[in-house]
Amino acid sequence: MKILVPVKRVIDYNVKPRIKADGTGVDLANVKMSMNPFDEIAVEEAIRLKEKGVASEVVAVSVGPAKAQETLRTALAMGADRAILVQTDDAVEPLAVAKILKSIADEEQPGLVILGKQAIDDDCNQTGQMLAALMGRPQGTFASEVACEDEHLLVTREVDGGFESVRLALPAVVTTDLRLNEPRYASLPNIMKAKSKPLATKSPTDYGVDTAPRLKTVKVSEPAVRQAGIKVPDVDALVAKLKELGVA
Ligand code: AMP
């Protein structure tokens, strides 16, 4: 079974995003970029399935600028076998990404596509669900555990108030939650080896996908600054204060 793992290059999770002065978006100039953390978990899970003998090949895909090659090399250094960069400098919305992934899935015929549950730059949480719909295949989103059984995948999902188990007929689409695994660090020899693994470069037009945005960003602004708290001496004062504020 082949596994397709879409990985997105995003602003590093340790960086505090700065809003551009004209309010049109987040300033990415000279900002550290990395693989979306949920996608690292997806790559790790795919590699573990390969190590268990469930999968035979892991293919990483990224839709983004030329620099997304670095993100794909990271996936290759972790253990993916080859990579596809669908190069574009446009900001690509989840629907366009899902359409490109659908075309790649038609070509590659993966038994499983594992994506992150959301990209931490747009927080959309849409691409995996849209891809499953376009492919007409089952989906197990927010996976905290994945096991393979015959031609099925057992996925434990994190849902409000607990866990839900679903049994998916393969091929299927899975999106990863934080607790699925702890991604490995790439070793130096593997980083060196990754440099010679195959990386194909394509464009959205190769897949017949129009990446023109369907959404218009009206304005991007900083969240309101949190008000300072106050200290009260005892419970009576707390209750009085809550009554005064109208919350008790
Ligand atoms: P989103 O729907 O934007 O929150 O993204 C969910 C997941 O879809 C991400 O964790 C990635 O696995 C995948 N994805 C989204 N955008 C891209 C992209 N440009 N290239 C590759 N994968 C992507």
Side-chain angles (χ1 to χ4, degrees):
M1 176 171 81
K2 194 188 281 185
I3 303 183
L4 201 64
V5 191
V7 293
K8 188 176 186 186
R9 180 176 184 264
V10 296
I11 189 164
D12 187 89
Y13 72 98
N14 280 311
V15 173
K16 185 177 181 311
R18 284 187 318 263
I19 307 292
K20 284 189 204 162
D22 61 3
T24 54
V26 172
D27 189 359
L28 296 180
N30 302 318
V31 169
K32 185 177 178 219
M33 305 289 282
S34 305
M35 188 189 298
N36 182 41
F38 291 105
D39 304 354
E40 284 184 355
I41 296 172
V43 174
E44 175 66 36
E45 197 62 23
I47 297 165
R48 288 188 190 186
L49 288 170
K50 190 178 166 195
E51 287 168 349
K52 279 185 200 150
V54 174
S56 51
E57 191 184 25
V58 177
V59 184
V61 186
S62 194
V63 182
K67 287 218 159 198
Q69 273 194 30
E70 292 166 12
T71 315
L72 289 169
R73 291 281 173 215
T74 304
L76 294 170
M78 286 173 73
D81 297 288
R82 63 186 168 90
I84 303 169
L85 170 65
V86 183
Q87 197 174 323
T88 172
D89 287 326
D90 297 339
V92 188
E93 290 171 2
L95 182 59
V97 175
K99 287 179 180 172
I100 291 170
L101 295 175
K102 155 81 167 72
S103 293
I104 295 176
D106 287 345
E107 261 178 36
E108 298 278 346
Q109 295 291 317
L112 178 62
V113 186
I114 310 185
L115 308 89
K117 76 166 177 183
Q118 73 197 70
I120 61 164
D121 53 357
D122 59 21
D123 268 347
C124 277
N125 178 4
Q126 294 171 351
T127 311
Q129 295 88 330
M130 287 176 168
L131 175 64
L134 291 172
M135 290 172 69
R137 299 302 313 170
Q139 58 181 291
T141 51
F142 316 136
S144 62
E145 211 179 317
V146 168
C148 208
E149 190 184 70
D150 308 323
E151 289 299 289
H152 291 82
L153 206 64
L154 301 176
V155 177
T156 307
R157 308 183 55 226
E158 295 201 12
V159 292
D160 286 347
F163 294 102
E164 180 187 51
S165 300
V166 290
R167 190 164 178 269
L168 313 176
L170 295 171
V173 175
V174 165
T175 73
T176 60
D177 216 322
L178 218 50
R179 275 162 284 270
L180 181 59
N181 62 47
E182 211 168 292
R184 70 194 66 190
Y185 287 105
S187 64
L188 193 57
N190 285 345
I191 293 172
M192 300 312 286
K193 254 192 246 164
K195 291 184 200 279
S196 54
K197 287 187 179 176
L199 191 159
T201 304
K202 303 276 190 179
S203 80
T205 44
D206 291 334
Y207 299 105
V209 176
D210 171 13
T211 55
R214 264 102 171 138
L215 305 172
K216 185 167 168 254
T217 302
V218 179
K219 189 174 164 225
V220 178
S221 55
E222 296 274 356
V225 180
R226 256 179 97 176
Q227 301 289 317
I230 55 161
K231 275 188 180 169
V232 287
D234 51 34
V235 174
D236 291 342
L238 173 65
V239 172
K241 192 73 199 167
L242 292 175
K243 280 189 179 151
E244 184 190 319
L245 295 172
V247 288

